[in-house]
Amino acid sequence: MGYKVVVAGATGNVGREMLNILAERQFPADEVIALASRRSIGTEVSYGDKTLKTKDIEGFDFTGYDIALFAIGSEATKQYAPIAASQGCVVIDNSSLYRYDPQIPLIVPEVNPDAIEDYRNKMIIANPNCSTAQMVVALKPLHDRARIKRVVVSTYQSVSGAGKEGIDELWDQTKGMYVPGQEVAPKKFQKQIAFNVIPQIDVFLDSGDTKEEWKMVAETKKILDPSIKVTATCVRVPVFVGHSEAINIETEDFLDEDEARDILRESPGLLVVDKREPGGYVTPVECVGDFATFVSRIRQDVTVENGLNLWCVSDNLRKGAALNAVQIAELLGNRVLKKG
């Protein structure tokens, strides 16, 4: 007997990707239900070779369903996740609502799988921020070997991280640049995104950091190690899909770049592409549609005693969101629910 699975927010970018990945990875589901808001009832979405019609999340009875993958934003999650949990369905939530709740596990399966046991606290599991997820997958094996003290990360985040409106704005602005009179003013983003980069993702905090930068700090500490010092600068770039990160790491013990490369090659969820020649690295365009987090440009940082630099790229709609959620569902199934 397999699982009965609900995907809430099935008409959005991440929800559609969740359905794709459930099918691609042949998740042992006997039944998959697609939920959406009332205005999207009846919208058809793909699940493998099947087509599902979305049902209304309002009033939906989660009783008898095993797992619900939520991609509906914090406000709707606040309303519906406790209902699903109270009806015995484990919620895996992609929003930021529950990430910082000490009773709710925040999980990247390659990094902290043992935390899955804490789902019992509230029947809810949190999925991390997209930029955090790919980074901690790369940091974990290096931390196990040499104990990371400090991380300095600069992100280059695609517009799909801002949803369909972000994708549309980049597309429309780019076209408008070439057609006089059809220029598109910034709406979703703070400034023009076409042919530009914007050093702001989410709102500013009193510290001067943006909320996105704060998320990377808080989530890395919760998932990996509270003693790691993290500072981040998050930048939106005119790329449709795929987040990139330049990561500088300082470790307690010396770690040679060659050993680091070997460790990363052998680590789950990672692919190393690191040739010191033109094009010997991975860019966002090349990572789209892939399950892996790619690491390139691994090299010593000689300005500190034990330093490394690396370049990290991943499909943010996959590892940064939908894939990680499905991997959590797989982990939950294998370790706890044991069906299928």
Side-chain angles (χ1 to χ4, degrees), residues 49-110:
D49 57 1
K50 299 177 182 178
T51 299
L52 308 178
K53 285 192 174 182
T54 58
K55 298 183 178 182
D56 188 1
I57 191 172
E58 187 173 336
F60 182 79
D61 187 356
F62 291 87
T63 303
Y65 290 89
D66 301 293
I67 299 169
L69 306 178
F70 271 46
I72 55 176
S74 294
E75 284 303 311
T77 296
K78 188 175 184 179
Q79 180 178 353
Y80 295 111
I83 294 171
S86 70
Q87 294 172 348
C89 182
V90 182
V91 174
I92 300 171
D93 176 38
N94 192 61
S95 81
S96 62
L97 181 63
Y98 295 113
R99 290 176 188 161
Y100 315 107
D101 184 327
Q103 287 192 286
I104 291 178
L106 178 65
I107 293 179
V108 175
E110 298 94 335

Side-chain angles (χ1 to χ4, degrees), residues 209-272:
D209 292 323
T210 63
K211 194 171 182 182
E212 183 83 357
E213 292 156 355
W214 174 83
K215 288 176 187 176
M216 292 195 75
V217 176
E219 292 175 22
T220 300
K221 288 176 176 288
K222 183 172 179 178
I223 296 167
L224 190 55
D225 188 333
S227 69
I228 293 177
K229 296 178 179 178
V230 181
T231 182
T233 300
C234 295
V235 182
R236 190 73 73 190
V237 298
V239 170
F240 284 110
V241 178
H243 287 357
S244 305
E245 298 172 350
I247 307 173
N248 177 265
I249 302 163
E250 188 176 352
T251 57
E252 289 183 7
D253 302 325
F254 177 75
L255 181 57
D256 176 78
E257 62 189 38
D258 293 325
E259 184 184 357
R261 194 174 293 108
D262 290 340
I263 289 170
L264 293 169
R265 280 200 177 106
E266 298 300 318
S267 299
L270 293 173
L271 277 178
V272 174

Side-chain angles (χ1 to χ4, degrees), residues 44-329:
E44 293 188 343
V45 291
S46 296
Y47 168 61
D49 57 1
K50 299 177 182 178
T51 299
L52 308 178
K53 285 192 174 182
T54 58
K55 298 183 178 182
D56 188 1
I57 191 172
E58 187 173 336
F60 182 79
D61 187 356
F62 291 87
T63 303
Y65 290 89
D66 301 293
I67 299 169
L69 306 178
F70 271 46
I72 55 176
S74 294
E75 284 303 311
T77 296
K78 188 175 184 179
Q79 180 178 353
Y80 295 111
I83 294 171
S86 70
Q87 294 172 348
C89 182
V90 182
V91 174
I92 300 171
D93 176 38
N94 192 61
S95 81
S96 62
L97 181 63
Y98 295 113
R99 290 176 188 161
Y100 315 107
D101 184 327
Q103 287 192 286
I104 291 178
L106 178 65
I107 293 179
V108 175
E110 298 94 335
V111 180
N112 61 336
D114 293 343
I116 196 76
E117 300 292 341
D118 292 336
Y119 88 95
R120 293 181 176 88
N121 293 336
K122 294 189 176 181
M123 293 287 285
I124 297 172
I125 301 167
N127 207 27
N129 190 37
C130 47
S131 51
T132 306
Q134 70 185 72
M135 183 173 76
V136 295
V137 171
L139 294 182
K140 166 67 172 171
L142 302 179
H143 184 58
D144 287 347
R145 162 62 181 82
R147 307 303 298 172
I148 294 172
K149 295 195 299 184
R150 182 171 184 258
V151 176
V152 181
V153 57
S154 297
T155 72
Y156 307 78
Q157 294 179 227
S158 66
V159 294
S160 58
K164 184 179 182 298
E165 291 175 341
I167 294 173
D168 290 345
E169 188 157 310
L170 173 57
W171 176 253
D172 293 339
Q173 272 187 358
T174 302
K175 290 190 296 181
M177 297 287 284
Y178 294 96
V179 183
Q182 293 189 18
E183 296 85 359
V184 175
K187 184 177 179 182
K188 179 64 178 177
F189 300 113
Q190 303 84 2
K191 297 197 176 190
Q192 174 186 312
I193 186 60
F195 305 99
N196 198 18
V197 298
I198 303 172
Q200 179 190 350
I201 300 177
D202 214 324
V203 298
F204 279 101
L205 307 176
D206 290 343
S207 64
D209 292 323
T210 63
K211 194 171 182 182
E212 183 83 357
E213 292 156 355
W214 174 83
K215 288 176 187 176
M216 292 195 75
V217 176
E219 292 175 22
T220 300
K221 288 176 176 288
K222 183 172 179 178
I223 296 167
L224 190 55
D225 188 333
S227 69
I228 293 177
K229 296 178 179 178
V230 181
T231 182
T233 300
C234 295
V235 182
R236 190 73 73 190
V237 298
V239 170
F240 284 110
V241 178
H243 287 357
S244 305
E245 298 172 350
I247 307 173
N248 177 265
I249 302 163
E250 188 176 352
T251 57
E252 289 183 7
D253 302 325
F254 177 75
L255 181 57
D256 176 78
E257 62 189 38
D258 293 325
E259 184 184 357
R261 194 174 293 108
D262 290 340
I263 289 170
L264 293 169
R265 280 200 177 106
E266 298 300 318
S267 299
L270 293 173
L271 277 178
V272 174
V273 179
D274 190 19
K275 297 179 180 179
R276 294 181 175 178
E277 60 187 45
Y281 42 80
V282 174
T283 62
V285 167
E286 297 155 296
C287 81
V288 174
D290 207 296
F291 288 141
T293 294
F294 293 88
V295 180
S296 309
R297 302 293 318 278
I298 303 162
R299 62 205 190 277
Q300 227 78 47
D301 174 8
V302 298
T303 66
V304 293
E305 188 174 357
N306 298 320
L308 285 170
N309 288 305
L310 55 87
W311 173 253
C312 178
V313 177
S314 189
D315 182 332
N316 56 292
L317 297 179
R318 293 209 150 203
K319 187 54 189 171
L323 171 61
N324 200 73
V326 173
Q327 286 178 307
I328 292 171

